[in-house]
């Protein structure tokens, strides 16, 4: 019998990559999406798996919808990837962010506790929880949290609730504390995709400038396709635990910009980039860099795609998208 997994956030960036991996491993994959009059399957189409996923409707804000799904499907594994995931919007929509990212996780955990307690649960935790916290310039599983956004705060609640269900009820729950991971499926609001898209447009003469916020902040950027393997591996271990996942190398936004313009053969990138205060945040997370030694040792996980390869992959995908539209 095929193993079953319920993946929330199936139409986002990570959901499709994870679904593809699970399908390749022979799983039956249920993809949870909100109710839409016109759902957008573009990301699943991009990976060629739209027809292979079983879609189910549910909303993290609607507890009964989660109870129904868990009770009816009783999946062996639940990967909770759904979230209001854009940090920048979380100041303006702090309540909604908390409802989805914090309370939504509680609802899902309760549904598992009451209706399918042997289900293994993965929570999409994040390096944003660290905020200003660091241990000798890196963040690892023992680094203290000092979140800087309503998004980061909502995820800290979910992180501890995930641990609490493990400690209180013996449910197999794991937090993947993932650092930034990107791909051609990244939402256009996030800085990497905004840059890759902007650079492609400038190269093709469709745009004259790229407006960005803080160019100095540093992120540990990896490839989403690599990171979903870590999610899967966490749920295959004998014991549930929490893991930091990242490359251990970080770059500034400015370095990402330089690298992206390099891909299209433009050296004088300063001519095109405008710093616009509208894209700066009320409180910034200046410097994230993972120490993923535990994931390497216990999960045997390592990233495969380097920073220059990632930037190239994203810029070339955006060039291709625009060229296809010509
Ligand atoms: P994403 O592209 O923004 O996808 C999130 C998905 O969640 C979207 O498809 C969205 O659905 C869905 N969603 C939002 N609110 C929902 C609700 N109330 N009920 C059900 N579904 C809802 O995010 P991602 O980059 O794939 O990230 C996946 C998860 O990892 C998120 O939880 C994120 O916070 C976390 N994370 C991401 C990173 C990263 O660098 N990518 C790093 C650490 C942690 P719609 O399509 O309907 O909007
Ligand atoms: N989005 C955006 N747009 N960010 C900008 C811009 C801009 O125009 N200019 C500079 N930045 C800076 C941000 O201030 C931040 O320091 C950095 O670029 C990265 O921003 P995002 O790409 O929006 O990602 P994030 O780091 O805030 O959050 C992402 O990674 C988290 C993991 O650390 C999201 O995927 C979160 O969901 C995830 O948890």
């Amino acid at each position: 019998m095929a193993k079953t997994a319920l993946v929330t956030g199936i139409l986002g960036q990570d959901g499709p990559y994870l679904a593809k991996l699970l399908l390749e491993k022979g799983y039956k994959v249920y993809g949870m999406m909100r109710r839409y009059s016109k759902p957008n399957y573009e990301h699943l189409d991009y990976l060629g798996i739209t027809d292979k996923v079983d879609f189910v409707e549910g909303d993290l804000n609607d507890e009964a919808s989660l109870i129904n799904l868990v009770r009816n499907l009783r999946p062996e594994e639940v990967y909770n990837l759904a979230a209001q995931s854009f940090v920048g919007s979380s100041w303006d929509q702090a309540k909604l962010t908390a409802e989805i990212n914090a309370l939504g996780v509680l609802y899902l955990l309760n549904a598992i506790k009451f209706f399918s307690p042997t289900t293994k649960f993965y929570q999409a935790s994040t390096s944003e929880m660290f905020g200003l916290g660091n241990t000798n310039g890196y963040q690892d599983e023992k680094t203290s949290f000092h979140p800087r956004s309503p998004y980061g705060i909502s995820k800290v609640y979910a992180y501890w609730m995930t641990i609490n269900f493990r400690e209180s009820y013996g449910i197999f729950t794991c937090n993947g504390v993932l650092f930034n991971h990107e791909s051609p499926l990244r939402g256009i609001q996030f800085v990497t995709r905004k840059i890759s898209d902007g650079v492609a447009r400038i190269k093709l003469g469709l745009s004259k400038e790229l407006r960005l916020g803080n160019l100095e902040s540093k992120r540990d950027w990896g490839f989403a396709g690599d990171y979903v393997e870590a999610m899967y591996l966490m749920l295959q271990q004998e014991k549930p635990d929490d893991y930091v996942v990242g490359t251990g190398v970080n770059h500034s936004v400015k370095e990402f910009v330089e690298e992206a313009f390099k891909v299209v053969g433009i050296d004088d990138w300063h001519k095109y980039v405008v710093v616009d205060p509208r894209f700066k945040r009320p409180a910034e997370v200046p410097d994230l860099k993972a120490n993923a030694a535990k994931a390497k040792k216990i999960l045997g996980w390592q990233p495969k795609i380097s920073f220059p390869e990632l930037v190239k992959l994203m810029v070339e995908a955006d060039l291709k998208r625009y060229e296809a539209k010509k």
Side-chain angles (χ1 to χ4, degrees):
M1 273 275 281
K3 267 185 160 181
T4 54
L6 172 65
V7 178
T8 74
I10 193 69
L11 303 181
Q13 171 188 250
D14 292 1
Y17 281 108
L18 177 65
K20 185 164 190 284
L21 178 78
L22 295 174
L23 288 164
E24 282 163 5
K25 292 189 180 295
Y27 278 67
K28 183 168 182 61
V29 177
Y30 294 99
M32 188 185 97
M33 53 193 262
R34 298 191 265 196
R35 193 262 154 192
Y36 285 104
S37 53
K38 206 168 168 243
N40 185 348
Y41 299 109
E42 193 188 325
H43 291 177
L44 294 159
D45 288 344
Y46 185 89
L47 297 180
I49 56 167
T50 311
D51 296 343
K52 302 191 174 74
V53 173
D54 285 74
F55 296 103
V56 288
E57 277 183 12
D59 192 311
L60 283 187
N61 268 334
D62 183 344
E63 193 170 12
S65 73
L66 304 175
I67 289 174
N68 271 332
L69 285 179
V70 171
R71 194 184 51 193
N72 294 340
L73 302 175
R74 294 177 59 92
E76 271 138 317
E77 296 171 8
V78 170
Y79 294 86
N80 182 38
L81 309 185
Q84 189 303 90
S85 76
F86 186 50
V87 174
S89 294
S90 73
W91 280 273
D92 292 333
Q93 298 183 49
K95 178 171 175 272
L96 182 68
T97 302
E99 284 167 351
I100 299 172
N101 298 4
L103 289 181
V105 179
L106 173 62
Y107 300 156
L108 197 44
L109 285 165
N110 265 331
I112 290 172
K113 176 187 156 201
F114 289 122
F115 297 103
S116 188
T118 56
T119 293
K120 295 179 177 182
F121 178 78
Y122 172 87
Q123 167 59 14
S125 286
T126 163
S127 50
E128 266 291 308
M129 300 186 304
F130 295 121
L132 295 182
N134 79 81
T135 309
N136 304 321
Y138 288 84
Q139 289 86 21
D140 63 21
E141 289 79 4
K142 293 202 165 62
T143 302
S144 310
F145 297 147
H146 182 148
R148 297 273 282 169
S149 62
Y151 168 82
I153 294 164
S154 70
K155 287 282 188 172
V156 171
Y157 175 95
Y159 170 90
W160 282 114
M161 205 45 93
T162 298
I163 291 178
N164 189 253
F165 271 66
R166 181 161 84 216
E167 293 178 349
S168 303
Y169 311 116
I171 297 173
F172 193 112
T173 64
C174 298
N175 282 291
V177 183
L178 271 50
F179 283 59
N180 299 47
H181 45 279
E182 320 294 315
S183 74
L185 303 187
R186 189 55 142 154
I188 197 78
Q189 283 180 307
F190 299 91
V191 78
T192 55
R193 183 70 205 296
K194 191 173 167 186
I195 296 168
S196 64
D197 178 77
V199 167
R201 290 174 60 84
I202 288 168
K203 176 67 182 173
L204 298 173
L206 300 169
S207 180
K208 289 194 164 54
E209 61 176 28
L210 173 57
R211 303 187 85 86
L212 295 170
N214 180 11
L215 300 184
E216 305 306 324
S217 58
K218 292 183 167 177
R219 290 291 182 274
D220 178 334
W221 281 297
F223 173 55
D226 289 345
Y227 285 47
V228 297
E229 285 177 18
M231 298 176 186
Y232 165 77
L233 287 169
M234 283 178 217
L235 295 200
Q236 313 314 312
Q237 302 307 302
E238 213 166 288
K239 285 192 187 142
D241 207 343
D242 311 307
Y243 298 87
V244 156
V245 175
T247 70
V249 179
N250 72 3
H251 294 272
S252 65
V253 172
K254 196 191 286 174
E255 286 165 345
F256 196 105
V257 169
E258 269 169 1
E259 191 70 33
F261 275 102
K262 210 161 90 185
V263 173
V264 297
I266 297 176
D267 295 329
D268 50 352
W269 60 269
H270 291 95
K271 265 177 43 188
Y272 302 99
V273 174
V274 179
V275 172
D276 185 334
R278 280 184 305 150
F279 299 113
K280 291 195 172 167
R281 293 174 178 175
E284 180 61 278
V285 172
D287 196 345
L288 291 174
K289 188 161 56 166
N291 173 358
K294 179 176 169 184
K296 185 175 178 192
K297 183 168 172 223
I298 298 177
L299 305 178
W301 180 86
Q302 282 199 85
K304 297 186 191 97
I305 301 237
S306 70
F307 176 73
E309 287 168 337
L310 174 67
V311 179
K312 189 163 185 283
L313 183 82
M314 292 180 71
V315 173
E316 286 179 348
D318 277 317
L319 282 169
K320 212 164 147 190
R321 260 188 261 248
Y322 283 112
E323 273 157 1
K325 281 187 200 157
K326 271 186 186 168

